[in-house]
């Protein structure tokens, strides 16, 4: 298995549903931007809406940080619209819901569960150069936490603009960072 961290985001062009409209989204649209890909198994399920609504609660803050947010499943954009229209929870989502019925994105990010034709729960942060900086994949029975994801995005953006600094465990914006050096060896 090849490492995905610092790998180039895969090329793609897919349909999406966002704010009552269909649109096309491609990797070309993301050049020069931070992008968060939030893979989930399927629309009209159980854990998925709890995660998507949790992320929707952080969407405005992520947009202010310059991060484009994309949820992704193997459903079509038509199914995304139907779910949006049918569910009071999903109506709260304003970010783009990408349709990946052929699995180009799921396979490109390494989250396709081939035996079921759905995605594992995968979260990926791509920097403006198109490099993957955060990659998390977990079993579909385990939901994610948008608060922790937001913290990680803040850390990734911080280290991207503060050369030579790193963020320790539980780091939050405004907290002290570390500057690795021989003087720190064995002292933390």
């Amino acid at each position: 298995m090849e490492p995905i961290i610092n790998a180039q985001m895969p090329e793609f062009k897919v349909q999406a549903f966002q704010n009552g409209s269909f649109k096309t989204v491609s990797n070309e649209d993301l050049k020069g931007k931070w992008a968060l890909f939030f893979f989930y198994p399927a629309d009209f399920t159980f854990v998925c809406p709890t995660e998507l609504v949790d992320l929707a609660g952080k969407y405005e803050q992520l947009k202010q940080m310059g991060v484009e947010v994309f949820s992704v499943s193997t459903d079509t954009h038509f199914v995304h619209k139907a779910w949006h229209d049918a569910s009071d929870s999903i109506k709260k989502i304003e970010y783009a819901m990408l349709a990946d019925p052929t699995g180009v994105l799921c396979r490109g990010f390494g989250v396709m569960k081939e035996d079921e034709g759905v995605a594992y729960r995968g979260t990926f942060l791509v920097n403006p150069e198109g490099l993957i900086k955060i990659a998390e994949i977990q079993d579909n029975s385990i939901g994610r936490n948008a608060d922790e994801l937001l913290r990680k995005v803040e850390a990734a953006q911080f280290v991207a603009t503060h050369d030579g600094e790193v963020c320790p465990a539980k780091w939050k914006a405004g907290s002290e960072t570390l500057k690795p050096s021989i003087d720190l060896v064995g002292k933390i």
Side-chain angles (χ1 to χ4, degrees):
M1 183 190 297
E2 295 211 17
I4 196 166
I5 297 297
N6 291 317
Q8 189 69 39
M9 166 182 51
E11 291 183 11
F12 69 92
K13 185 174 186 179
V14 298
Q15 292 299 305
F17 174 76
Q18 184 176 22
N19 295 326
S21 299
F22 295 131
K23 66 181 193 176
T24 302
V25 177
S26 77
N27 58 295
E28 292 295 316
D29 299 325
L30 304 181
K31 287 186 176 179
K33 301 175 183 176
W34 287 90
L36 180 67
F37 291 88
F38 198 79
F39 290 85
Y40 64 97
D43 293 358
F44 294 99
T45 55
F46 316 101
V47 175
C48 300
T50 66
E51 291 186 310
L52 296 176
V53 170
D54 187 37
L55 183 59
K58 300 295 180 199
Y59 181 52
E60 200 55 47
Q61 192 172 352
L62 288 161
K63 279 195 326 188
Q64 290 172 4
M65 295 165 61
V67 180
E68 300 282 341
V69 175
F70 304 97
S71 63
V72 187
S73 77
T74 55
D75 297 289
T76 67
H77 54 300
F78 301 113
V79 176
H80 290 332
K81 181 190 182 315
W83 195 24
H84 180 272
D85 292 349
S87 169
D88 288 338
S89 294
I90 300 306
K91 281 182 179 131
K92 298 174 185 172
I93 295 172
E94 295 180 11
Y95 50 78
M97 299 177 78
L98 302 186
D100 191 26
T102 65
V104 66
L105 277 168
C106 291
R107 287 184 186 92
F109 280 94
V111 295
M112 179 61 102
K113 187 168 177 2
E114 295 290 348
D115 63 333
E116 293 182 28
V118 300
Y120 279 109
R121 294 189 196 288
T123 310
F124 302 88
L125 179 68
V126 177
N127 75 4
E129 291 76 41
L131 301 177
I132 298 168
K133 292 299 182 176
I134 293 174
E136 278 188 349
I137 304 169
Q138 57 210 51
D139 186 76
N140 285 340
S141 61
I142 303 166
R144 293 163 281 186
N145 182 324
D147 289 325
E148 174 60 5
L149 177 56
L150 182 65
R151 185 196 72 79
K152 290 176 186 178
V153 171
E154 288 173 332
Q157 289 185 330
F158 181 89
V159 298
T161 58
H162 293 81
D163 196 36
E165 292 185 56
V166 296
C167 297
K170 297 185 179 183
W171 177 89
K172 292 189 180 201
S175 297
E176 192 173 322
T177 59
L178 300 171
K179 289 187 180 187
S181 72
I182 196 162
D183 298 334
L184 287 181
V185 175
K187 302 215 168 113
I188 296 176

